[in-house]
Amino acid sequence: MSPLVSAVVPFCGVESYIGACLESIRAQTLADFEVILVDDGSEDRSAEIAAEVCAADPRFRVVTQQRRGPGPARNRGIAEADGHYLMFVDSDDLLAPRAFEQLTSSLEESGSDFAGAHVWRLGLQRGLETSWAHREPFAERLRRTGIREVPLLMRDRMVWNKMWRRTFWDERGYVFPEMLFEDFPIALRAHLEADAVDLLPDPVYVWRERPSRDSISQQGGQVANVRDRVAAALAVLDTVDALGGDELRELVHSHLVDVDVREVMGSLLDAAPADLAAIETLAADLGDRIDPGRVALAVPDLRVAYEALRTRDLDRVRGIARYRRGERTPEVLAAAGRTPRPLPVRAVRKGIGVAGRAVPTRPRQARLADLTVLPGAFHYRLTVPLAKPLAMIASARVSIGPVRPRVKASPLPGGVQLDVTVDTADLARLEHTTPLHVTVQAAPLLWDGGVAVAPEDLHGARRAGYWLQAVAPEGVLAFRRIRRIPVVDRLDLVDGVVRLHTDGLSGTIVVERPWPTPAVEVPIVDGIAFVTVSGLLAGDPPDDPVGRTALRRVLFRRDSTVAAEPMVLSGPGIAAVAEGRRVRLGRDTEGRLVLSHEPYGATEPPAAS
């Protein structure tokens, strides 16, 4: 019997990555799959690692070929595959555990030609973050849509964040070319030829950035790399000019300036002297083919670089490339069309104000040292770092929009302490989310800024018909009034059972899980909902295959006829350890109640937080 999914994984020289890749496939919540591993002439331990996985799991098998590159290796895997659906996985990347389940479930329900999903990017320096190219095209779940309804899908250049219906793939006759950057021409053509496409907002694929010596996409100084990048870009232009409308053509031509012209002009800096002439010719070919009438959406300095390519002003192209890499010599600034910024005139020298000039305000963030929720008021103890002589003479003002709380300033060895009392009746008059702002003055010097606060320190209270909630959307304390919201007053943890004490609510607590996994639903009985810690974890693998973390909203549903809505937590959160994971019930940056779980190595539960 044919499997539901065939995953094609070409590999060559990836011994440091392939083990984690294959383990992420083995961890899929959908078990009906086969994996075709295509050994594209590996000379390291990659084949040995793949063989070990195949021996342990009969769903995995290896086929071998002489090295021809990722395109032919994928073609070989497709020829060997028997599944109803195809998915391509690069051997240095990772899958989220629900990837197969989410993509196939969508296609089974919709009948679309393929389904695509959001992507994580795993950077060498930045860690895990969502891919900017996929963030907007995959912002919401859509079924039976397409690139003409969502034109920004032209940024979706890859084949590996998708599940392909095998009949669609075969009927359209897609074949990967024997070149690098083989994804984009096929991905764009498929978007343009599909009758219907599904879009999923949950990231299902981790796209790993590798050191330049290991990564195909980062070996930009090599002639073969530039030649294939330009050839792929030309194929994309041929496709969009033949099948796309005016809006899509403008988007694609501009996107090629933003991505491919940027990479190629970087190659002009990285090329070996013997290769420079060939790369200059390739860069000029790309510039000539992109339509100057369709690049208005490109990044301004890259559009200037593209125009310089077309006029063969390669010195200016190199200058812009060097500027984008951080060089600021006069020669680079001149070539990039930049002028040095004049140095600001100091208005304060040695603590003495300059007559006739305003004293500049310097940024300085306060930190929350203590918080007390009083009847009718919030009391904060804040610290602002200052040198001791300045702290001794410092005064302070605090504002929350038009609200002026009471403030007492006291010197500390390393700064100034502010005791701030905010009347909640004043907060109830705020119409918009409003930050708390601190200004400290010492002699002629001024500092101002917000208050850094963590989600666990957010708080709230009822007053004047509103729920008043502290929030921190950017890590800085602010306040929002909410007309009505369900409240959990207290959380208890006893013998592995969490008790959620609600504010007189009757209904159901709902712990969300990623689609299509059912939510955990717990009835509220006499104002309390009971749920075991193990029940919060059961059947819920973490979404993130790198840090193995999960974050779930905790909602309230009054009855089956209405949608579930967010809740807030008025007391402290709790934490426990179960099954090797740390489980927390606490707040997000908006003060809403959330569940999170992450790996935890200790054997004893942590203290409640």
Side-chain angles (χ1 to χ4, degrees):
M1 185 175 177
S2 297
L4 187 63
V5 174
S6 291
V8 176
V9 185
F11 67 90
C12 178
V14 287
E15 64 180 5
S16 299
Y17 310 103
I18 189 171
C21 172
L22 300 185
E23 284 304 313
S24 75
I25 298 175
R26 293 185 72 185
Q28 291 298 299
T29 55
L30 186 149
D32 186 12
F33 64 81
E34 66 172 358
V35 179
I36 314 300
L37 292 156
V38 184
D39 182 355
D40 189 40
S42 283
E43 296 178 352
D44 62 355
R45 291 189 62 252
S46 299
E48 180 182 338
I49 296 168
E52 291 171 357
V53 173
C54 293
D57 192 329
R59 296 174 298 178
F60 291 72
R61 57 192 173 95
V62 175
V63 296
T64 61
Q65 66 177 30
Q66 292 183 344
R67 185 174 302 180
R68 295 179 58 197
R74 285 177 177 160
N75 294 333
R76 174 69 185 279
I78 294 168
E80 298 279 343
D82 294 323
H84 297 288
Y85 298 106
L86 287 171
M87 188 162 183
F88 303 104
V89 183
D90 284 357
S91 53
D92 53 354
D93 293 337
L94 302 168
L95 292 181
R98 291 180 177 86
F100 289 176
E101 182 183 12
Q102 290 184 326
L103 292 164
T104 57
S105 295
S106 185
L107 291 173
E108 294 281 282
E109 293 177 10
S110 69
S112 294
D113 296 316
F114 64 92
H118 200 356
V119 172
W120 280 299
R121 190 75 192 268
L122 180 57
L124 292 172
Q125 304 295 331
R126 298 182 305 276
L128 196 68
E129 59 186 8
T130 53
S131 162
W132 74 268
H134 299 85
R135 202 169 292 148
E136 291 180 289
F138 295 95
E140 59 181 324
R141 180 172 291 112
L142 296 174
R143 291 185 180 169
R144 297 197 65 80
T145 186
I147 196 169
R148 291 169 182 85
E149 293 180 42
V150 187
L152 288 177
L153 283 171
M154 60 85 208
R155 295 179 183 169
D156 183 33
R157 299 168 61 126
M158 294 77 178
V159 297
W160 34 242
N161 62 323
K162 303 170 180 61
M163 188 72 73
W164 305 86
R165 194 175 295 277
R166 178 64 184 263
T167 52
F168 169 75
W169 187 274
D170 290 344
E171 287 166 3
R172 295 295 180 175
Y174 297 126
V175 177
F176 289 102
E178 194 164 341
M179 59 182 288
L180 307 177
F181 309 103
E182 73 284 358
D183 291 40
F184 198 7
I186 287 181
L188 182 64
R189 181 184 154 199
H191 273 301
L192 288 165
E193 292 181 340
D195 292 327
V197 176
D198 295 347
L199 307 180
L200 280 64
D202 294 334
V204 304
Y205 194 94
V206 177
W207 175 19
R208 187 193 299 271
E209 179 181 333
R210 292 164 55 188
S212 57
R213 65 181 181 276
D214 299 330
S215 172
I216 290 172
S217 61
Q218 297 185 57
Q219 296 172 0
Q222 299 180 10
V223 173
N225 185 290
V226 179
R227 183 180 297 114
D228 285 355
R229 179 180 287 278
V230 171
L234 298 182
V236 163
L237 290 169
D238 290 341
T239 298
V240 73
D241 290 347
L243 301 176
D246 287 340
E247 181 182 25
L248 196 57
R249 292 188 188 109
E250 183 178 37
L251 283 166
V252 170
H253 282 253
S254 296
H255 183 68
L256 289 175
V257 171
D258 286 348
V259 176
D260 296 270
V261 166
R262 179 196 67 202
E263 294 300 318
V264 169
M265 76 180 194
S267 301
L268 294 173
L269 301 183
D270 299 331
D275 297 333
L276 187 57
I279 290 178
E280 288 177 347
T281 299
L282 290 165
D285 291 344
L286 179 60
D288 289 344
R289 180 63 181 81
I290 295 173
D291 187 343
R294 300 186 188 276
V295 298
L297 303 176
V299 174
D301 65 334
L302 292 173
R303 189 168 66 242
V304 171
Y306 152 75
E307 292 165 352
L309 268 184
R310 289 181 59 84
T311 60
R312 306 304 190 263
D313 187 355
L314 297 181
D315 287 340
R316 187 166 198 189
V317 175
R318 292 187 183 93
I320 295 172
R322 289 192 174 97
Y323 183 86
R324 290 178 65 86
R325 290 188 178 183
E327 294 185 35
R328 295 295 185 268
T329 64
E331 295 78 14
V332 166
L333 291 171
R338 306 279 180 153
T339 56
R341 293 182 180 180
L343 294 175
V345 177
R346 291 185 179 273
V348 176
R349 291 189 178 89
K350 298 181 180 179
I352 302 173
V354 179
R357 295 180 184 170
V359 176
T361 302
R362 305 178 179 192
R364 182 65 54 91
Q365 193 170 63
R367 295 198 172 274
L368 179 64
D370 191 31
L371 156 69
T372 307
V373 178
L374 303 170
F378 298 144
H379 180 265
Y380 305 100
R381 178 158 288 174
L382 311 177
T383 58
V384 181
L386 282 180
K388 184 176 180 179
L390 297 173
M392 296 296 295
I393 60 172
S395 61
R397 299 190 306 274
V398 174
S399 62
I400 308 168
V403 176
R404 297 292 183 268
R406 299 186 297 277
V407 185
K408 177 184 177 182
S410 307
L412 292 173
V416 61
Q417 174 179 290
L418 306 180
D419 284 284
V420 181
T421 303
V422 184
D423 192 318
T424 52
D426 293 334
L427 296 179
R429 288 190 284 271
L430 296 174
E431 295 185 358
H432 307 287
T433 301
T434 309
L436 187 150
H437 191 87
V438 177
T439 301
V440 175
Q441 183 169 11
L445 302 177
L446 288 173
W447 293 267
D448 70 352
V451 177
V453 63
E456 57 264 27
D457 292 322
L458 300 178
H459 50 283
R462 293 195 186 282
R463 189 74 187 271
Y466 293 101
W467 178 263
L468 307 175
Q469 180 63 50
V471 297
E474 297 180 357
V476 176
L477 181 63
F479 298 91
R480 175 179 301 157
R481 72 179 190 185
I482 306 169
R483 184 180 65 83
R484 184 189 64 81
I485 194 165
V487 178
V488 170
D489 292 313
R490 190 173 85 250
L491 294 170
D492 294 330
L493 177 64
V494 180
D495 296 331
V497 177
V498 179
R499 296 184 291 193
L500 297 92
H501 299 258
T502 67
D503 186 17
L505 299 176
S506 177
T508 303
I509 299 291
V510 178
V511 183
E512 276 192 327
R513 290 180 171 179
W515 177 87
T517 307
V520 174
E521 300 195 5
V522 184
I524 300 172
V525 179
D526 296 330
I528 305 176
F530 299 83
V531 59
T532 63
V533 175
S534 58
L536 293 171
L537 289 174
D540 187 25
D543 317 311
D544 159 17
V546 178
R548 297 177 56 235
T549 61
L551 183 67
R552 309 284 179 248
R553 294 196 304 170
V554 181
L555 310 176
F556 168 72
R557 188 173 61 232
R558 193 169 303 279
D559 58 57
S560 60
T561 65
V562 296
E565 54 187 313
M567 307 187 77
V568 294
L569 173 65
S570 64
I574 60 173
V577 167
E579 302 173 19
R581 297 187 67 77
R582 181 183 178 96
V583 183
R584 298 174 185 263
L585 278 163
R587 303 177 184 87
D588 66 6
T589 57
E590 296 293 324
R592 296 169 298 201
L593 182 58
V594 292
L595 164 76
S596 64
H597 55 90
E598 61 189 6
Y600 187 79
T603 57
E604 293 297 323
S609 59

